[in-house]
Amino acid sequence: MTSAFSQTVRGMRDFLPEEARKLRFIEQKARETAGLYGYDEIITPTIEYYELLAAKIGEENKKRMYVFEDLGGRKIALRPEFTASVARLVATKLQSAPKPLRLFSTGSLYRYDEPQFGRYREFWQANFELFGSAMPEADVEIISLTDSFLRRIGLRNYRFKIGHVGVLRGIFNQEGINEERQNTIMQMLDKKEWAEALKMVEKSGASQRCLDSLKNLLTTAGGDLAATAKKIREIVDEYPGAAEAAENLEEIVNLLKAGGLKAEVLLEAGFARGLEYYTGVIFEVYVPEMDIALGGGGRYDRLVEFFGGGKIPAVGVAAGMDRLLIALENQGASEFRWKPERLLIIPVDRSMIGDAFKVASMLRADELCTEIEIMGRSVTRALSDADRRGIAFAVILGPKEMREGKVVLRHMIKRKQRTIDLDDLPEKIKEEM
Ligand code: AMP
């Protein structure tokens, strides 16, 4: 057999039931969080026009897109992120919807990354976007919502790394560095190639003051938010655009604390992210055991306008559900391993199959997860199979008992069984669960 019949495409994964259940648990918690914060779900296509997706995603990400021509000759790409699609929707069909607009989406994304730990070519995100407010409270809402989601899935010891692209871009703008060059420098900073970034700034004709301020910023990071924010503001004092961004950052971190955020926060002045559309605060989430980001987000005030939708400021976050799954697994989290207890109905012979379906319907109507023995096995074989598959309870149906309105309920782990009234079955099972 060729590998096409036996292997997934490189970087693609199958989710077996246990993994799929864990991923869906995380997704369910994301959906619950969206509901609690008033974010309405939208569903956008998995493929979009290449130009839309490529417009502001940054050179590095652009190179990793799955691009193809469809049979109609259109240049199409698989979505590498949600933000472009959601911003397109807001710029078009939701342009005049009342603001703020709170939107949630979830699904798979595609990037031709080099597969490695926590990095796949198909991965899953829970995505929250808030449109219409340029106020710091909108940024704080997105960060608090992220915190709430992570707490709900049972993640521990996570921390936020926060920065602001306006601080660096404010300096670059004043130094006359053009946007394209700025994007290249930001990409370098994102990859922590600081020396190269500084060299590029120097080559772009920046002043000594600029280089000194940058060097200073790149080493400014700390968990004492008020002190770090103040230090950043002082460093960029002579750059009005950057100083304004620093003040915005200070306001956001102060509000985060005033709002009761308990998670640890680290402010990092030299922090940059690869996506080009960011204009304000940016952040990522980490746990100490893993050095890859579990989620990231930020403010992008010009993307909707770029797509022709008028001036609509926005801020959002994308949580990487695959990486959250790894992190929860590492931390030994228990809730996401939860699996409903299952029951198996075993008819003693085929004359009882009709009754087996009726009893199963009755139990399912009571929200009990119920299977029917459909392999024609004897009761003994069906019970040993139930043991192997971790079934919690077996319900054995025999003609004599059924005529008297009774069934046999067997607790698989205790290996004890008793005859009970069929009408009491759901209640008795729930008592023993
Ligand atoms: P980004 O859209 O690059 O800001 O990514 C947001 C989050 O998605 C990251 O923090 C990761 O958790 C997740 N993510 C991004 N790329 C990948 C990938 N190739 N494989 C798995 N997760 C990813």
Side-chain angles (χ1 to χ4, degrees):
M1 214 190 273
T2 63
S3 63
F5 290 147
S6 57
Q7 288 176 350
T8 55
V9 173
R10 185 165 152 76
M12 302 287 150
R13 293 158 299 154
D14 295 315
F15 284 74
L16 291 170
E18 197 181 322
E19 295 301 298
R21 196 161 42 237
K22 288 173 182 169
L23 190 78
R24 293 300 183 204
F25 165 86
I26 296 171
E27 186 184 75
Q28 180 52 27
K29 293 288 170 190
R31 192 166 280 113
E32 280 170 27
T33 309
L36 285 173
Y37 279 75
Y39 283 65
D40 288 321
E41 182 160 0
I42 49 164
I43 301 172
T44 56
T46 314
I47 60 172
E48 297 268 8
Y49 283 110
Y50 169 78
E51 290 96 288
L52 175 95
L53 298 172
K56 289 285 170 191
I57 195 165
E59 283 308 313
E60 292 282 329
N61 288 326
K62 209 192 303 192
K63 281 188 242 153
R64 301 201 179 114
M65 275 161 61
Y66 279 89
V67 187
F68 59 99
E69 200 180 281
D70 73 5
L71 293 178
R74 298 170 194 90
K75 195 172 182 189
I76 301 290
L78 291 179
R79 62 184 177 197
E81 56 145 13
F82 279 111
T83 306
S85 301
V86 183
R88 168 187 58 72
L89 194 61
V90 171
T92 53
K93 296 172 185 145
L94 295 173
Q95 196 179 2
S96 51
K99 307 291 179 301
L101 251 181
R102 295 180 165 96
L103 301 173
F104 164 69
S105 17
T106 175
S108 54
L109 294 310
Y110 302 84
R111 293 183 196 173
Y112 203 79
D113 276 328
E114 197 45 38
Q116 52 188 278
F117 175 72
R119 189 177 291 281
Y120 314 104
R121 290 183 177 171
E122 180 186 54
F123 59 98
W124 301 75
Q125 283 183 348
N127 189 79
F128 303 82
E129 312 280 359
L130 172 50
F131 292 90
S133 172
M135 315 282 288
E137 36 272 54
D139 305 280
V140 169
E141 173 170 313
I142 284 287
I143 295 171
S144 310
L145 174 158
T146 308
D147 174 58
S148 164
F149 165 52
L150 299 176
R151 230 172 326 113
R152 290 178 80 77
I153 61 172
L155 191 71
R156 285 176 286 114
N157 299 330
Y158 55 87
R159 59 181 168 76
F160 287 89
K161 179 165 102 176
I162 299 187
H164 197 301
V165 296
V167 175
L168 296 169
R169 288 200 189 259
I171 297 179
F172 298 149
N173 285 340
Q174 200 169 320
E175 292 283 335
I177 301 176
N178 71 34
E179 198 172 326
E180 204 176 315
R181 185 55 72 89
Q182 287 189 24
N183 291 342
T184 312
I185 298 166
M186 295 301 261
Q187 298 269 339
M188 289 171 168
L189 292 175
D190 182 29
K191 288 192 278 179
K192 301 234 176 313
E193 295 168 352
W194 291 351
E196 287 87 339
L198 286 170
K199 226 178 274 165
M200 173 83 65
V201 174
E202 199 174 354
K203 256 195 2 214
S204 311
S207 66
Q208 190 56 43
R209 184 183 65 176
C210 168
L211 289 169
D212 291 342
S213 305
L214 279 180
K215 277 184 205 153
N216 223 338
L217 282 176
L218 294 181
T219 53
T220 300
D224 181 345
L225 302 184
T228 315
K230 184 162 167 265
K231 186 168 170 213
I232 296 173
R233 197 158 39 78
E234 282 165 6
I235 295 171
V236 299
D237 199 25
E238 293 172 43
Y239 291 93
E244 201 180 307
E247 265 168 46
N248 175 242
L249 179 62
E250 203 169 359
E251 222 178 322
I252 291 167
V253 294
N254 287 340
L255 253 183
L256 276 174
K257 285 296 156 192
L261 183 84
K262 290 198 189 67
E264 198 187 323
V265 177
L266 187 76
L267 260 193
E268 216 178 280
F271 172 35
R273 305 199 69 222
L275 304 164
E276 264 168 30
Y277 47 66
Y278 288 124
T279 54
V281 71
I282 50 170
F283 65 94
E284 278 177 346
V285 179
Y286 288 88
V287 284
E289 316 86 80
M290 286 162 66
D291 64 357
I292 48 177
L294 305 181
R299 171 166 288 283
Y300 53 100
D301 284 348
R302 289 196 287 273
L303 193 60
V304 177
E305 190 179 14
F306 183 80
F307 291 156
K311 284 193 190 323
I312 301 181
V315 53
V317 61
M321 298 201 287
D322 312 78
R323 293 188 184 173
L324 288 172
L325 197 158
I326 301 175
L328 287 173
E329 199 83 79
N330 280 349
Q331 293 189 348
S334 56
E335 206 200 332
F336 88 135
R337 283 173 216 279
W338 183 84
K339 191 176 151 185
E341 287 192 284
R342 285 179 300 161
L343 324 179
L344 178 68
I345 307 215
I346 309 172
V348 298
D349 58 47
R350 297 210 58 228
S351 71
M352 303 304 294
I353 298 243
D355 288 313
F357 275 91
K358 280 190 208 140
V359 174
S361 298
M362 167 186 143
L363 293 173
R364 291 179 191 133
D366 252 296
E367 303 297 322
L368 292 164
C369 171
T370 309
E371 297 174 18
I372 299 174
E373 159 51 47
I374 52 162
M375 302 288 284
R377 291 177 175 132
S378 68
V379 174
T380 320
R381 287 210 36 223
L383 284 175
S384 70
D385 171 67
D387 253 341
R388 224 163 23 115
R389 295 194 302 123
I391 298 278
F393 297 93
V395 178
I396 303 162
L397 305 186
K400 181 169 159 285
E401 289 85 357
M402 272 310 264
R403 271 197 301 277
E404 293 165 7
K406 293 187 185 302
V407 294
V408 174
L409 174 63
R410 182 178 175 87
H411 193 298
M412 296 301 295
I413 294 171
K414 293 186 188 156
R415 299 184 174 281
K416 279 198 183 137
Q417 63 185 51
R418 59 195 168 123
T419 304
I420 58 170
D421 283 343
L422 178 59
D423 290 342
D424 297 340
L425 186 60
E427 192 190 320
K428 295 286 177 207
I429 292 171
K430 284 181 185 166
E431 274 171 21
E432 291 199 38
M433 267 181 168

